[in-house]
Amino acid sequence: MTIANNISLLPYNTFGIDVRAKVVAEYSSVTELTELLQRYRGERLLAVGEGSNLLFTGDFDGVVLVSRMCRAKALKETETEVWIEAESGLKLDELIAQLVDMNLTGMENLSYIPGTVGASAVQNVGAYGVEVKDVIEQVETVEVATSRTRVFTNKECHYGYRDSVFKNDLQGQYIVTKVVYRLQKGGELHTNYGGLKDIQAQTAQEVRDAVIAIRRTKLPEVGELGSAGSFFKNPIVPTAQANELLQRYPAMPHYVVEDGIKIPAAWLIEQCGWKGKGLGGAEVYEKQPLVIVNRQHATASDIMHLAQAIVDSVNDTFGINIYPEVNYI
Ligand code: EPU
């Protein structure tokens, strides 16, 4: 366990926001985590993974808890499936690289997404037609108030689009310690999504390689340019509203989903002329306008003002509200 007081959060968020926390505590076991919970009872707590989906809006007057539990092991297997238990601090992409090596399928489409195993289960990360909820069997947690272990089944996690019970009803009440994923041995590949269609991948490794190649052309590399991936969620609008918009904008991309029509926020933002535009040190990424980047020493305030200006102009032009996917802290 390591504990640091009054420390910069720069290494703990991929946006590269230089604010401070009262305490940052790193733990390597569930026992250490429960010790920390007891020690800091009553303090404001924040569990972070790689800090790749959050925006610190100012100094954090509390304790940032960082998981350094990084192991993974097979729990059981059948002829066709393997259950893998991974600890919260393991980088998701390191796990996926190992799974693909073993020809275990189910997560290859999620290759190269920044973030940890623990964060994947909170945020329900997704890409190229797959969401992690599709392969999560259960999520092991520690309850903050009691330090007791609680296991959530997939159903109990109430997964939605970049959403889970851990972001809503139970926000801040549980810390994810382990995730059990259910993978297939050489199962079916999901290659119907956009850019993957043309590639005709035959193996999980080929899908992984293709996904990494696409992501590299569109998204900034963590470590080179600060960002938190997609800043906004793609809005879902009622069918009638989408039809009206399609009369005005026949080229508007759109996808039929369960509860309406999904419109790429990237397209809306691009139409409003934001590509490559900036405010202070923050900028709309020119290769993927859904992403806000820290071009030059951006402050949280630069990023929030830019985000609000984008929200307002998309609303003025299209009458659509878009919402951040990034969690403001
Ligand atoms: N588009 C534009 N202009 C652009 C880029 C995209 O108009 O410059 C439009 C195009 O119509 C394109 C559509 O946006 O077809 C969709 O673009 P893309 O396939 O890149 O995906 P996205 O909807 O922008 C989502 C996820 C990403 C995920 C990709 C790939 C959200 C908020 N974002 O982005 O997830 O990697 O699909 O599956 O759902 C993240 O959550 O941080 C993230 C990067």
Side-chain angles (χ1 to χ4, degrees):
M1 178 191 311
T2 63
I3 294 177
N5 294 301
N6 185 24
I7 188 174
S8 168
L9 287 170
L10 207 46
Y12 299 97
N13 74 100
T14 58
F15 245 131
I17 302 296
D18 191 8
V19 291
R20 300 183 89 76
K22 197 156 84 177
V23 179
V24 172
E26 303 189 349
Y27 57 91
S28 335
S29 67
V30 174
T31 314
E32 286 186 2
L33 172 60
T34 54
E35 274 173 43
L36 287 169
L37 290 177
Q38 268 143 29
R39 175 167 176 167
Y40 291 112
R41 192 155 300 266
E43 295 274 3
R44 197 174 160 211
L45 301 176
L46 176 72
V48 304
E50 242 183 309
S52 56
N53 206 61
L54 47 80
L55 176 63
F56 285 111
T57 56
D59 287 343
F60 185 75
D61 185 27
V63 183
V64 175
L65 295 167
V66 185
S67 170
R68 294 293 183 224
M69 303 166 53
C70 297
R71 285 167 303 188
K73 63 177 184 201
L75 282 187
K76 62 172 179 176
E77 66 179 294
T78 64
E79 228 168 82
T80 53
E81 294 181 317
V82 180
W83 282 254
I84 300 282
E85 180 189 82
E87 291 182 336
S88 53
L90 179 60
K91 285 192 180 176
L92 190 69
D93 194 55
E94 278 177 26
L95 174 68
I96 296 173
Q98 288 178 39
L99 298 175
V100 166
D101 263 351
M102 298 189 287
N103 199 26
L104 293 179
T105 53
M107 288 171 81
E108 55 283 354
N109 292 39
L110 308 179
S111 291
Y112 221 54
I113 293 183
T116 57
V117 161
S120 78
V122 173
Q123 183 69 5
N124 185 21
V125 300
Y128 309 103
V130 172
E131 287 182 317
V132 79
K133 75 167 170 58
D134 304 335
V135 291
I136 286 182
E137 179 81 3
Q138 65 178 46
V139 178
E140 205 170 301
T141 67
V142 169
E143 187 176 19
V144 171
T146 62
S147 296
R148 276 207 294 261
T149 301
R150 174 166 167 194
V151 176
F152 288 76
T153 62
N154 178 304
K155 208 164 162 229
E156 287 170 331
C157 294
H158 298 172
Y159 281 123
Y161 171 48
R162 300 292 188 278
D163 202 19
S164 73
V165 74
F166 307 112
K167 292 180 72 177
N168 287 301
D169 296 358
L170 301 182
Q171 193 184 16
Q173 295 182 42
Y174 291 87
I175 292 174
V176 174
T177 49
K178 291 171 192 168
V179 180
V180 177
Y181 303 98
R182 183 174 176 173
L183 290 316
Q184 312 293 312
K185 293 181 179 172
E188 213 181 305
L189 302 172
H190 300 274
T191 52
N192 284 331
Y193 184 97
L196 276 188
K197 257 191 212 139
D198 320 323
I199 282 151
Q200 299 187 344
Q202 303 291 326
T203 63
Q205 184 66 57
E206 284 170 15
V207 172
R208 175 172 164 78
D209 293 346
V211 165
I212 292 177
I214 300 172
R215 290 189 77 89
R216 280 199 166 136
T217 62
K218 290 193 178 186
L219 298 164
E221 297 274 332
V222 171
E224 280 175 22
L225 192 57
S227 89
S230 297
F231 195 92
F232 298 101
K233 292 190 193 186
N234 288 321
I236 295 168
V237 304
T239 310
Q241 187 183 2
N243 286 338
E244 261 171 50
L245 285 169
L246 279 165
Q247 299 212 322
R248 272 163 57 203
Y249 306 94
M252 181 178 80
H254 57 285
Y255 310 93
V256 178
V257 293
E258 223 170 90
D259 32 1
I261 307 288
K262 193 178 239 189
I263 301 173
W267 185 85
L268 299 169
I269 295 167
E270 184 174 357
Q271 295 303 304
C272 293
W274 282 107
K275 237 178 175 177
K277 293 263 170 64
L279 203 158
E283 189 180 288
V284 177
Y285 196 46
E286 64 279 9
K287 295 182 199 160
Q288 167 48 298
L290 200 49
V291 176
I292 294 180
V293 294
N294 181 349
R295 180 60 71 190
Q296 215 187 3
H297 309 297
T299 61
S301 154
D302 292 341
I303 294 168
M304 286 189 291
H305 281 113
L306 179 57
Q308 192 55 49
I310 294 170
V311 168
D312 291 345
S313 74
V314 168
N315 199 353
D316 288 348
T317 311
F318 296 100
I320 295 176
N321 264 319
I322 56 172
Y323 296 94
E325 174 196 287
V326 167
N327 302 305
Y328 285 40
I329 307 292

